[in-house]
Structures are given as C-alpha cells and as structure tokens.
Amino acid sequence: MAADPQSDHPIGQLADERVDHRFKALPPDAEGLTVGALAAQRRNLFTGGFTTPVLALSAESVEHNLALMEEYSTRHGLAFAPHGKTSMSPQLFARQLAHGAWGITAAVPHQARVYRAFGIQRIFLANEMVDAAALRWLAGELDADPDFRFVCYVDSLRGIELMDAALREAGASRPVDVVIELGAGDAARTGVRDEATCLDLANAIAAADTLRLVGIAGYEGEVPDADAERVAAWLRRLVALLVDFDKAGRFADLDEIVLSAGGSAWFDTVAEVFAEVPELSRPVLKLLRSGAYVSHDDGHYRHLTPFNRHPDEGALQPAFRLWAQVVSRPNGTQAFANAGKRDAAYDLDLPEAQVVRSARDGSVRPADGIAVTGLSDQHAWISTEPGAELEVGDWIGMGLSHPCTSFDKWQLIPLVESDGTVSDFVRTFF
C-alpha cells in the first residue's frame, strides 16, 4: 500500500508529508523524516520507538475485508460505493476502487471536496446539498471535468428550489444528477415519507433544467424496529417506486437508472430484494453503500454484520487494535492505562481488553480477567480479577467498537503486519 514518493498523484504525495508533533504516537526520533521514509524503515510497532497510546490497523485484515466485499458485491450483482465517512482516508478509497468499487459515498460537502482533491471520479452524496457555496463549488467541478459523476439525494420541494436557484446563479452548464430519497418510516431520519410526495418532487425536478432525476434511494438502517421482514418490506417499496417512475417514462433520457441502499447491517436483505428488480427500460445500477467493512470492529458491527447470518459467504475481520500502556496499578483489582476518550471510540461500546504485552520480556498473552470499565479523557479504567497479571509498563491491546469514531481520532495510523512490522501509514482527513 506504500505510496510512491515520486508520484505526482495527490495520494502519492502523502508519502512526502513530514513526520512531526501533529501525529500522535509516531517515534520522536523520526521527527523530520517523510512518512514514506519512515514507512520504508519498516520499524516494529513495539520496539521501534512508537509511543503509547497508538492505534494500529492490521494490514492483513484490511486486505481480507476489501477482497471479501468485492467478492460479495460481484456475486450478488451489486455495484458498490462504500461510504467514505468511515475512514476519510484517500489511500483506503484508492484500494476500495482497486477492489472494484464504483465510486465513494459522502455525506457532506467537505467530504466531497476531500474526495475530489484526491481524484475520486464518482461520488454519491447520501444527503441533500442545499448550501449555495457548496453548489457553486459543485457546478465548477462538473463544468471543469466532463468525466466527473456526482449523484445526491433530494427529499423536499424547498431543497429542489434551493439547488435550482444556486446552480442557476453559478451558471452551471451540466445538470446535477439527483435521486429521490424515500424515508424508512415516519420515525426515520431523512427522506420523503410517502410515495405521493415523491411524485411531487419528481415533477419539480423535471421542471428544473439544473437537475436530472436518475433514480431512487434510501437507507434501510433507519427502518423502525428493524428486522429482516420490515427491512425487506421497505426495500420493496423502494423498488416499486422505481418501477412506477420507469413506467411513467421518467428515466427515458438515461443510460442507466440508479437504485441505492445499503448500510453495514442489512446489506444481505438489500442484495435479496434488489435481485427481484424486474427488467426496466434502462439497465439498473444497484448501488450498495456499506462503509464500515473496511476495518470492521470488535463490538457493534461484529454483532450485527450480515455475515453472521450467512457464514457460508465469509466473515469480516476486525482490523483495529488500540495499544495503551499501564501507567498506574493502585491496588490488586484496579489499573489505569494511558488511552481515553481522545484516542478510543466509546460512543457505542467501551474498548475490549484482548491481549497484554509484557514490558519485561515482550511476551504476549490473553487479557484474561482484565476489563475496561470506563474512560476519562486520557485514561482507561481497568478492573482486574484476582490473579490477573498486570503491572506498570505493560502494553494492553484493545479491540474497538464503531469504526467511524475510531478513524476520526487519528490523523496518521500505522498499518501493521502480523509480526508487528509497520509497513505504511494511513492518512485521514476529518
């Protein structure tokens, strides 16, 4: 994954960035080296001068997960635009695209700007874009690059009005492709609540020459009290709406029709229902948007991944491990490590103590009888059962829950091979 320092591509230029105080946990004696030069040294995470806490990303697990989702999407006839807000890492985007991704999904204009800065040619923005400044920028990008493909949600007449006005003011020469977002229920997040309103929106889009309706989309993760039956029922509403619009001739000028859904919890049901789509007047781009798979986790997504329901299709591997050092052992049942809310995801679950690396001899053992019970800003509260071996200086390797709030705490993450060798560094842009 190492980028070529001589490359003129923006991703290659990341290797030319200087190592300094901005990046947590990197070896102090690497100050002034380029990231590429430090990666080329292939230092060991535990003996190469890295300081704690340090977040490590497993090189083998990342590659496994990338390949698994490529195979899954291909097997089920799905295109794939993984949600980039999970990692906000152009290096990982490039690898996702190399593993067959159609494009990358975004949620807000800033993310789309990062993607474009690193050459992403297809962006699906799973939100309305109604900010006039962002729309001016978008119009410029579309006008400057005829190969750039951008699709975003609409879910309101007012949103269409704002988009049309801003794009007209910007003098946009290319219409913005939009999909109507069907909401997943009255208690769901964004999206149109009923099909009749979707028809109103389609008529308004047709009347605005700055916009082009290219399909229907939504997010099944917001289905209230979600289970496979309820999610499938909502997805069939999504498909039925698409079919009705196609019969009405609303996609007559397109090369393909976009149908999109798919978070990380129900993509198996998405695959099942999208397989039922009848033949339409144009080919259908069935676009899945799951993003958490690239690192997976040891908590929330480990429990809800569809691969648990379909073990014959494979299994994702958790790729994150946060290493912290025991800095206090006040008594036989309590310890404190030097990683806290600034370093670890904690919005869904606390970190999970998995292994201990001895400060005396470097041996690694399971973290039996050791549990993280709380987090302060810079401390992990650890309970230890009687007999659990743990002393000041030991390193504790912890699994994390929720990739999206793990990546965003680290600007530069060591990519670590199974023997502890740091082979590269993953840059994030949150």
Coordinates of all heavy atoms in Angstrom, one line a residue, residues 338-383:
N338 N -3.0 4.6 29.6 CA -2.9 6.0 29.1 C -3.6 6.2 27.8 O -3.2 7.0 27.0 CB -1.4 6.4 29.0 CG -0.7 5.6 28.0 OD1 -1.1 4.5 27.5 ND2 0.5 6.0 27.6
A339 N -4.8 5.6 27.6 CA -5.6 5.9 26.5 C -7.0 6.2 27.0 O -7.5 5.5 27.9 CB -5.7 4.7 25.5
G340 N -7.7 7.2 26.4 CA -9.0 7.5 26.8 C -9.9 8.0 25.7 O -9.7 7.5 24.6
K341 N -10.8 8.9 26.0 CA -11.8 9.3 25.0 C -11.2 10.0 23.8 O -11.8 10.1 22.8 CB -12.8 10.2 25.7 CG -13.7 9.6 26.7 CD -14.6 10.6 27.4 CE -15.5 9.9 28.4 NZ -16.4 10.8 29.1
R342 N -10.0 10.6 24.0 CA -9.3 11.3 22.9 C -8.7 10.3 21.9 O -8.3 10.7 20.8 CB -8.1 12.1 23.4 CG -8.5 13.1 24.5 CD -9.4 14.2 24.0 NE -9.7 15.2 25.1 CZ -10.5 16.2 24.9 NH1 -11.1 16.4 23.7 NH2 -10.7 17.1 25.9
D343 N -8.7 9.0 22.3 CA -8.0 8.0 21.5 C -8.8 6.8 21.0 O -8.5 6.2 20.0 CB -6.8 7.4 22.3 CG -6.0 8.5 23.0 OD1 -5.4 9.3 22.4 OD2 -6.0 8.5 24.3
A344 N -9.9 6.6 21.8 CA -10.7 5.3 21.5 C -12.1 5.7 21.3 O -12.7 6.6 21.9 CB -10.6 4.4 22.7
A345 N -12.8 5.0 20.3 CA -14.2 5.1 20.2 C -14.9 4.6 21.4 O -14.5 3.6 22.0 CB -14.7 4.2 19.0
Y346 N -15.9 5.3 21.9 CA -16.7 5.0 23.1 C -18.1 5.3 23.0 O -18.9 5.1 23.9 CB -16.1 5.7 24.3 CG -16.2 7.2 24.2 CD1 -17.2 7.9 24.8 CD2 -15.2 7.9 23.6 CE1 -17.3 9.3 24.7 CE2 -15.3 9.3 23.5 CZ -16.3 10.0 24.1 OH -16.4 11.3 24.0
D347 N -18.6 5.7 21.8 CA -20.0 6.1 21.6 C -21.0 4.9 21.6 O -22.1 5.1 22.0 CB -20.2 6.9 20.4 CG -19.7 6.2 19.1 OD1 -18.6 5.6 19.2 OD2 -20.3 6.3 18.1
L348 N -20.5 3.8 21.2 CA -21.4 2.6 21.2 C -21.0 1.6 22.3 O -21.8 1.0 23.0 CB -21.3 1.9 19.9 CG -21.9 2.7 18.7 CD1 -21.7 2.0 17.4 CD2 -23.3 3.1 18.9
D349 N -19.7 1.3 22.4 CA -19.2 0.3 23.4 C -17.8 0.8 23.9 O -17.1 1.5 23.2 CB -19.1 -1.1 22.8 CG -20.4 -1.6 22.3 OD1 -21.3 -2.0 23.1 OD2 -20.5 -1.7 21.0
L350 N -17.5 0.3 25.1 CA -16.1 0.6 25.6 C -15.1 -0.3 24.9 O -15.5 -1.4 24.4 CB -16.1 0.3 27.1 CG -16.8 1.3 28.0 CD1 -16.8 0.8 29.4 CD2 -16.1 2.7 27.9
P351 N -13.9 0.1 24.9 CA -12.8 -0.8 24.3 C -12.8 -2.2 25.0 O -13.2 -2.2 26.2 CB -11.5 -0.1 24.5 CG -11.9 1.4 24.6 CD -13.3 1.4 25.3
E352 N -12.4 -3.2 24.3 CA -12.3 -4.5 24.9 C -10.9 -4.9 25.1 O -10.1 -5.0 24.1 CB -13.1 -5.5 23.9 CG -13.0 -6.9 24.3 CD -13.6 -7.8 23.2 OE1 -12.9 -8.2 22.2 OE2 -14.8 -8.1 23.3
A353 N -10.5 -5.2 26.3 CA -9.1 -5.7 26.6 C -9.0 -7.1 26.0 O -9.7 -8.0 26.3 CB -8.8 -5.7 28.1
Q354 N -7.9 -7.2 25.1 CA -7.8 -8.5 24.4 C -6.5 -9.2 24.7 O -6.5 -10.4 25.0 CB -7.9 -8.3 22.9 CG -9.3 -7.8 22.4 CD -9.3 -7.5 21.0 OE1 -8.3 -7.1 20.3 NE2 -10.5 -7.7 20.4
V355 N -5.4 -8.5 24.7 CA -4.1 -9.1 25.0 C -3.2 -8.2 25.8 O -3.5 -6.9 25.8 CB -3.3 -9.4 23.6 CG1 -4.1 -10.5 22.8 CG2 -3.1 -8.2 22.8
V356 N -2.3 -8.7 26.5 CA -1.3 -8.0 27.2 C 0.1 -8.3 26.7 O 0.4 -9.5 26.5 CB -1.4 -8.3 28.7 CG1 -0.3 -7.6 29.5 CG2 -2.7 -8.0 29.3
R357 N 0.9 -7.3 26.5 CA 2.3 -7.5 26.1 C 3.2 -7.1 27.2 O 3.2 -5.9 27.7 CB 2.6 -6.6 24.8 CG 4.0 -6.9 24.2 CD 4.3 -6.1 23.0 NE 5.5 -6.6 22.3 CZ 6.7 -6.2 22.6 NH1 6.9 -5.4 23.6 NH2 7.7 -6.7 21.9
S358 N 3.9 -8.0 27.7 CA 4.8 -7.8 28.9 C 5.9 -6.8 28.6 O 6.6 -6.8 27.6 CB 5.4 -9.1 29.3 OG 6.4 -8.9 30.3
A359 N 6.0 -5.8 29.6 CA 7.1 -4.9 29.5 C 8.4 -5.5 29.8 O 9.5 -4.9 29.6 CB 6.8 -3.7 30.4
R360 N 8.4 -6.6 30.4 CA 9.7 -7.3 30.9 C 10.3 -8.1 29.7 O 11.5 -8.0 29.5 CB 9.4 -8.2 32.1 CG 8.9 -7.5 33.3 CD 8.8 -8.4 34.5 NE 8.3 -7.7 35.7 CZ 9.1 -7.1 36.6 NH1 10.4 -7.2 36.4 NH2 8.6 -6.5 37.6
D361 N 9.5 -8.9 29.0 CA 10.2 -9.7 28.0 C 9.5 -9.7 26.6 O 9.9 -10.4 25.7 CB 10.2 -11.2 28.5 CG 8.8 -11.7 28.8 OD1 7.8 -11.1 28.4 OD2 8.8 -12.8 29.5
G362 N 8.4 -8.9 26.5 CA 7.8 -8.8 25.2 C 6.8 -9.9 24.9 O 6.3 -9.9 23.8
S363 N 6.6 -10.8 25.8 CA 5.7 -11.9 25.5 C 4.3 -11.4 25.5 O 3.9 -10.4 26.2 CB 5.8 -13.0 26.6 OG 5.5 -12.5 27.9
V364 N 3.4 -12.0 24.7 CA 2.0 -11.6 24.6 C 1.1 -12.7 25.1 O 1.3 -13.9 24.8 CB 1.7 -11.3 23.1 CG1 0.2 -10.9 23.0 CG2 2.6 -10.1 22.6
R365 N 0.1 -12.3 25.9 CA -0.8 -13.3 26.5 C -2.2 -12.8 26.4 O -2.4 -11.5 26.3 CB -0.4 -13.6 27.9 CG -0.5 -12.4 28.9 CD 0.0 -12.8 30.3 NE -0.2 -11.6 31.2 CZ 0.7 -10.7 31.3 NH1 1.8 -10.6 30.6 NH2 0.5 -9.7 32.2
P366 N -3.2 -13.6 26.5 CA -4.6 -13.1 26.5 C -4.8 -12.3 27.8 O -4.3 -12.5 28.8 CB -5.4 -14.4 26.6 CG -4.5 -15.5 26.0 CD -3.2 -15.1 26.5
A367 N -5.7 -11.3 27.6 CA -6.0 -10.4 28.7 C -7.1 -11.0 29.6 O -8.2 -10.4 29.9 CB -6.5 -9.0 28.2
D368 N -6.8 -12.2 30.1 CA -7.8 -12.9 31.0 C -8.0 -12.2 32.3 O -7.0 -11.8 32.9 CB -7.3 -14.3 31.3 CG -7.2 -15.2 30.0 OD1 -8.0 -14.9 29.0 OD2 -6.5 -16.2 30.0
G369 N -9.2 -12.0 32.7 CA -9.5 -11.3 34.0 C -9.3 -9.8 34.0 O -9.3 -9.2 35.0
I370 N -9.2 -9.2 32.8 CA -8.9 -7.8 32.6 C -10.0 -7.2 31.8 O -10.3 -7.7 30.7 CB -7.5 -7.6 32.0 CG1 -6.4 -8.2 32.9 CG2 -7.3 -6.1 31.8 CD1 -5.0 -8.2 32.2
A371 N -10.6 -6.1 32.3 CA -11.7 -5.5 31.5 C -11.6 -3.9 31.7 O -11.2 -3.4 32.7 CB -13.0 -5.9 32.1
V372 N -11.9 -3.3 30.6 CA -12.0 -1.8 30.6 C -13.4 -1.5 31.1 O -14.4 -1.9 30.5 CB -11.8 -1.2 29.2 CG1 -12.0 0.3 29.2 CG2 -10.4 -1.6 28.7
T373 N -13.5 -0.7 32.2 CA -14.8 -0.4 32.8 C -15.2 1.1 32.5 O -16.4 1.5 32.8 CB -14.8 -0.7 34.3 OG1 -13.7 0.1 34.9 CG2 -14.5 -2.1 34.5
G374 N -14.3 1.9 32.1 CA -14.7 3.3 31.8 C -13.5 4.1 31.2 O -12.4 3.5 31.1
L375 N -13.8 5.2 30.6 CA -12.8 6.1 30.0 C -12.9 7.5 30.5 O -14.0 8.1 30.6 CB -13.0 6.1 28.5 CG -12.8 4.8 27.7 CD1 -13.1 5.1 26.2 CD2 -11.3 4.3 27.8
S376 N -11.8 8.1 30.9 CA -11.6 9.5 31.1 C -11.0 10.1 29.8 O -10.8 9.3 28.9 CB -10.8 9.8 32.3 OG -11.3 9.3 33.5
D377 N -10.7 11.4 29.8 CA -10.2 11.9 28.6 C -8.9 11.2 28.1 O -8.7 11.0 27.0 CB -9.9 13.4 28.8 CG -11.1 14.3 28.6 OD1 -12.2 13.7 28.3 OD2 -11.1 15.5 28.9
Q378 N -8.0 10.9 29.1 CA -6.7 10.3 28.7 C -6.4 9.1 29.6 O -5.3 8.6 29.6 CB -5.6 11.3 28.9 CG -5.7 12.6 28.0 CD -5.6 12.4 26.5 OE1 -5.7 13.3 25.7 NE2 -5.3 11.1 26.1
H379 N -7.4 8.5 30.2 CA -7.2 7.3 31.0 C -8.2 6.2 30.7 O -9.4 6.6 30.5 CB -7.2 7.6 32.5 CG -6.0 8.3 33.0 ND1 -6.0 9.7 33.0 CD2 -4.8 7.9 33.5 CE1 -4.8 10.1 33.5 NE2 -4.1 9.1 33.8
A380 N -7.8 5.0 30.6 CA -8.8 3.9 30.6 C -8.8 3.3 32.0 O -7.7 3.0 32.6 CB -8.3 2.8 29.6
W381 N -10.0 3.1 32.6 CA -10.2 2.5 33.9 C -10.3 1.0 33.6 O -11.1 0.5 32.8 CB -11.5 3.0 34.5 CG -11.5 4.5 34.9 CD1 -11.4 5.5 34.0 CD2 -11.7 5.0 36.2 NE1 -11.4 6.7 34.7 CE2 -11.6 6.4 36.0 CE3 -11.9 4.4 37.4 CZ2 -11.7 7.3 37.1 CZ3 -12.0 5.3 38.5 CH2 -11.9 6.7 38.4
I382 N -9.4 0.3 34.3 CA -9.3 -1.2 34.1 C -9.5 -1.9 35.4 O -8.9 -1.6 36.5 CB -7.9 -1.5 33.5 CG1 -7.8 -0.8 32.2 CG2 -7.7 -3.0 33.4 CD1 -6.4 -0.9 31.6
S383 N -10.4 -2.9 35.4 CA -10.6 -3.8 36.5 C -9.8 -5.1 36.3 O -9.8 -5.6 35.1 CB -12.0 -4.0 36.8 OG -12.6 -4.8 35.8

